[in-house]
């Protein structure tokens, strides 16, 4: 057999073997093969658990062989350190790792009490103690390495969770962006497109780029305006990606927002400019207007000259209104919303219209619950409803106005032909007017004031009526 061959007999005298050695080796070899097969086909957790149990069988067999074949002198008794080292890898807690050297030490002292090794050489207690100390030293080294490994593993798991959390956060941020973001490979296959990108491009899903966008990506341009099939003008911008990375990023923005941002900057600059020179402009305007009014009152002035003087008066008034609107826009105070009774506010504007615009009371109809309230800055609200109501009276076909409050909506309605698409689109743009004497700032200022008070102002044409709809947060008086 294996233990009786010539190679082993050079180191160990087989004549002094314990009589059970051959049977123990055969059984141990058979069990080892069986365990290997079981761990191969078992799940990882079950295989690890089985390996932990087999460690103690290894300790028993190795220490038995050390006694049975007189292996202490040849160093065979040191082999259990392999099993103890394995215990340090498989067990993570120090108390479980110490079970292995403790078991080995117990076997060193008590195995000869159980098994008769009288034919083998006697092992001294000092020899046993020396080997037991070696086992515990190896276990302590294993504990230290296990602690280091465990802390490293915990740090790795923590960092992995952090990285995973950051990836999830980045994904959420990309999905919540109002701008479109498309990530693509260098072969222009799209890896990911957020919801904003799909919405801006007007598609439910996108795998390949449209031809115009593909040409832009392949070009050296920094950006371009793309006319999407849904009618939107989009601004495209590529992100600079190093050649080593096999992907690129395309950002998509609604160009109308860029236009509005530029417009706001222009308006802010215009407001500051007008503030500084308003005094210089208004004084000459006042002088011109006064002189023209005096000319119209002159009895010696011919009718044709009077008409020219009236034109001068009207145009100077219009210029003054433009200056007033620009100043108002630049000096707009911070909104301080208060709870206002809608019916009272609307009734005051109605009386003001009757007195100043010379309109009959029956032409202005107010339909609003008397208990309805609105959170709005009082001065802002008066300015908004005055502009909307006076515009409806001045420019409506029959000089009639309906103000209807329902839910969280106020509708200002007057009869009139629908505007064309261009007028509707630009209605709230500054300096755009549908009337030859308008300044084009009234509706723009109204919308800005509504925005400052957490409200929205929009235009609709419904059943032959122009409808300016103000949506707000309504509160009920209890």
């Amino acid at each position: 057999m294996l233990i009786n061959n010539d190679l082993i007999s050079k180191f160990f005298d087989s004549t002094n073997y314990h009589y059970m050695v051959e049977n123990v080796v055969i059984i141990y070899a058979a069990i080892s093969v069986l365990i290997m097969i079981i761990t191969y086909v078992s799940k990882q957790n079950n295989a690890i658990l089985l390996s932990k149990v087999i460690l103690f069988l290894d300790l028993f067999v190795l220490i038995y062989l050390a006694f049975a074949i007189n292996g202490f002198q040849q160093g065979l008794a040191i082999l259990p350190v392999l099993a103890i080292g394995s215990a340090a890898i498989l067990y993570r807690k120090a108390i479980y790792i110490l079970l292995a050297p403790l078991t080995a030490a117990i076997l060193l002292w008590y195995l000869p009490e159980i098994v008769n090794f009288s034919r083998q050489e006697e092992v001294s207690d000092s020899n046993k103690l020396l080997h037991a100390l070696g086992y515990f030293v190896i276990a302590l080294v294993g504990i230290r390495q296990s602690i280091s490994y465990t802390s490293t593993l915990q740090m790795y798991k923590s960092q992995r969770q952090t990285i995973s959390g950051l990836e999830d956060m980045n994904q959420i941020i990309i999905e919540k962006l109002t701008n479109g973001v498309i990530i693509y490979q260098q072969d222009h296959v799209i890896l990911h497109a957020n919801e904003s990108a799909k919405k801006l491009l007007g598609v439910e899903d996108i795998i390949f780029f449209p031809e115009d966008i593909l040409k832009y990506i392949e070009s050296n341009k920094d950006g371009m305006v793309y006319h999407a099939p849904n009618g939107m003008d989009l601004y495209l911008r590529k992100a600079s990606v190093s050649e080593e990375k096999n992907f690129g990023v395309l950002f998509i923005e609604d160009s109308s927002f860029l236009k509005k941002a530029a417009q706001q900057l222009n308006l802010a600059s215009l407001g500051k400019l007008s503030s500084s020179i308003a005094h210089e402009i208004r004084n000459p305007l006042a002088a011109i207007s006064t002189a023209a009014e005096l000319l119209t009152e002159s009895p010696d002035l011919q009718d044709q000259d009077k008409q020219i003087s009236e034109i001068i008066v009207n145009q100077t008034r219009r210029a003054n209104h433009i200056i007033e609107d620009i100043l108002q826009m630049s000096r707009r105070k911070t909104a301080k919303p208060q709870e206002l009774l809608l019916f009272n506010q609307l009734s005051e504007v109605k009386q003001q219209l009757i007195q100043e615009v010379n309109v009959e009371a029956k032409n202005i109809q107010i339909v609003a619950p008397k208990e309805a309230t609105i959170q709005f800055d009082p001065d802002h609200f008066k300015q908004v409803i005055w502009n909307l109501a006076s515009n409806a009276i001045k420019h409506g076909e029959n000089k009639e106005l309906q103000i209807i409050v329902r839910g969280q909506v106020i509708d200002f309605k007057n009869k009139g032909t629908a505007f064309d698409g261009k007028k509707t689109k630009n209605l709230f743009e500054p300096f755009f007017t549908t009337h030859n004497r308008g300044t084009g700032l009234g509706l723009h200022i109204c919308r800005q004031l509504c925005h400052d008070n957490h409200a929205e102002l929009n235009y609709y044409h419904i059943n032959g009526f122009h409808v300016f709809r103000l949506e707000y947060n309504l509160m009920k008086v209890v």
Side-chain angles (χ1 to χ4, degrees):
M1 296 299 293
L2 177 63
I3 60 173
N4 290 322
N5 62 35
D6 294 336
L7 181 62
I8 294 180
S9 64
K10 292 179 181 180
F11 299 97
F12 305 101
D13 185 5
S14 59
T15 58
N16 292 329
Y17 287 178
H18 188 264
Y19 70 95
M20 290 292 295
V21 168
E22 187 172 340
N23 293 332
V24 169
V25 170
I26 293 173
I27 294 171
Y28 179 66
I31 292 174
S32 298
V33 173
L34 181 63
I35 294 300
M36 288 177 61
I37 296 172
I38 293 174
T39 55
Y40 181 77
V41 299
S42 299
K43 293 181 179 179
Q44 184 178 8
N45 291 337
N46 294 335
I48 292 173
L49 180 63
L50 186 59
S51 299
K52 291 178 179 179
V53 175
I54 294 302
L55 281 176
F56 295 95
L57 175 63
D58 295 337
L59 287 173
F60 174 80
V61 172
L62 291 173
I63 292 176
Y64 167 78
L65 290 176
F67 280 107
I69 62 177
N70 300 318
F72 277 86
Q73 293 181 358
Q74 290 78 19
L76 193 62
I78 202 67
L79 289 180
V81 300
L82 298 175
I84 295 170
S86 300
I89 296 173
L90 292 173
Y91 293 101
R92 294 294 169 217
K93 294 185 177 181
I95 189 171
Y96 296 144
I97 296 174
L98 289 173
L99 283 176
L102 183 62
T103 302
I106 292 172
L107 288 171
L108 284 175
W109 264 273
Y110 290 99
L111 187 61
E113 302 293 332
I114 300 172
V115 181
N116 183 12
F117 293 118
S118 58
R119 294 180 57 190
Q120 284 69 47
E121 295 179 2
E122 185 177 355
V123 181
S124 64
D125 289 341
S126 60
N127 198 349
K128 294 177 184 178
L129 181 61
L130 183 63
H131 282 86
L133 288 175
Y135 299 157
F136 277 99
V137 169
I138 295 298
L140 291 174
V141 172
I143 289 172
R144 183 175 180 180
Q145 294 299 321
S146 178
I147 292 172
S148 176
Y149 173 80
T150 302
S151 63
T152 303
L153 184 63
Q154 289 175 347
M155 185 184 299
Y156 164 74
K157 289 181 178 179
S158 176
Q159 291 178 347
R160 185 176 179 181
Q161 289 177 350
T162 302
I163 292 171
S164 177
L166 289 174
E167 288 178 350
D168 293 340
M169 187 182 298
N170 288 338
Q171 187 70 20
I172 292 171
I173 291 171
I174 290 173
E175 288 299 326
K176 296 297 182 181
L177 284 174
T178 54
N179 293 341
V181 179
I182 296 179
I183 302 171
Y184 60 92
Q185 293 178 340
Q186 292 300 341
D187 57 3
H188 305 141
V189 175
I190 294 174
L191 298 175
H192 178 74
N194 67 352
E195 289 300 320
S196 295
K198 298 174 185 177
K199 185 177 179 180
L200 290 171
L201 293 172
V203 295
E204 293 184 1
D205 198 9
I206 180 170
I207 301 175
F208 300 103
F209 287 111
E211 186 176 350
D212 291 342
I213 298 180
L214 190 59
K215 288 179 180 177
Y216 160 67
I217 292 174
E218 293 174 345
S219 70
N220 294 324
K221 296 179 181 178
D222 293 331
M224 73 164 283
V225 176
Y226 171 67
H227 303 286
N230 57 8
M232 296 184 69
D233 291 334
L234 307 176
Y235 181 73
L236 308 181
R237 179 169 51 87
K238 292 181 290 186
S240 57
V241 180
S242 60
E243 295 180 358
E244 301 86 44
K245 296 180 180 179
N246 191 32
F247 67 90
V249 182
L250 179 70
F251 296 98
I252 305 174
E253 301 175 64
D254 185 354
S255 62
S256 64
F257 288 111
L258 299 177
K259 291 178 182 177
K260 287 180 180 178
Q263 186 183 83
Q264 292 299 325
L265 289 174
N266 290 335
L267 288 173
S269 301
L270 183 60
K272 291 179 181 178
L273 176 65
S274 62
S275 301
S276 62
I277 65 173
H279 180 71
E280 301 298 331
I281 295 177
R282 293 168 82 179
N283 282 346
L285 278 178
I288 294 170
S289 179
T290 302
E293 288 176 355
L294 291 173
L295 281 173
T296 57
E297 295 174 1
S298 174
D300 300 329
L301 200 65
Q302 297 180 5
D303 292 340
Q304 186 177 0
D305 294 333
K306 284 185 178 181
Q307 290 178 356
I308 294 173
S309 298
E310 288 175 357
I311 292 172
I312 294 172
V313 171
N314 291 334
Q315 292 304 316
T316 53
R317 286 176 180 171
R318 182 169 179 249
N320 189 61
H321 287 157
I322 293 174
I323 293 172
E324 290 289 346
D325 287 341
I326 294 174
L327 285 173
Q328 191 176 51
M329 196 162 47
S330 63
R331 296 173 181 172
R332 191 169 74 239
K333 69 173 186 177
T334 303
K336 296 179 180 178
Q338 298 178 17
E339 188 173 316
L340 307 175
L341 283 170
L342 272 174
F343 187 82
N344 292 350
Q345 296 288 324
L346 296 174
S347 298
E348 287 179 13
V349 170
K350 178 178 179 179
Q351 293 301 319
Q352 194 175 356
L353 286 169
I354 293 171
Q355 294 170 6
E356 297 184 19
V357 187
N358 196 24
V359 62
E360 295 184 16
K362 65 179 182 179
N363 288 351
I364 302 175
Q365 182 183 3
I366 298 175
V367 180
K370 291 188 176 182
E371 71 277 8
T373 61
I374 183 174
Q375 288 289 332
F376 221 97
D377 184 284
D379 294 334
H380 289 179
F381 189 63
K382 286 178 182 178
Q383 185 176 347
V384 169
I385 60 178
W386 167 259
N387 281 337
L388 295 176
S390 60
N391 280 349
I393 295 295
K394 291 176 184 177
H395 308 312
E397 290 182 357
N398 54 3
K399 308 297 181 184
E400 293 181 355
L401 169 65
Q402 297 179 23
I403 305 176
I404 302 173
V405 178
R406 51 183 179 80
Q408 294 179 323
V409 173
I410 307 174
D411 282 343
F412 295 81
K413 301 174 63 176
N414 67 288
K415 273 193 176 183
T417 307
F419 298 134
D420 58 33
K422 184 178 180 181
K423 285 184 179 180
T424 302
K425 184 178 180 181
N426 297 311
L427 201 56
F428 293 96
E429 297 298 319
F431 302 109
F432 178 83
T433 179
T434 59
H435 195 268
N436 57 4
R437 292 188 179 181
T439 64
L441 290 172
L443 289 177
H444 175 75
I445 293 173
C446 285
R447 175 171 270 189
Q448 291 297 318
L449 293 176
C450 288
H451 181 269
D452 292 347
N453 288 272
H454 307 290
E456 288 187 5
L457 180 62
N458 295 293
Y459 166 79
Y460 304 93
H461 191 268
I462 304 172
N463 298 328
F465 283 87
H466 296 294
V467 180
F468 285 90
R469 179 165 293 169
L470 193 157
E471 299 180 47
Y472 62 96
N473 295 326
L474 186 65
M475 296 179 63
K476 294 289 185 181
V477 178
V478 181

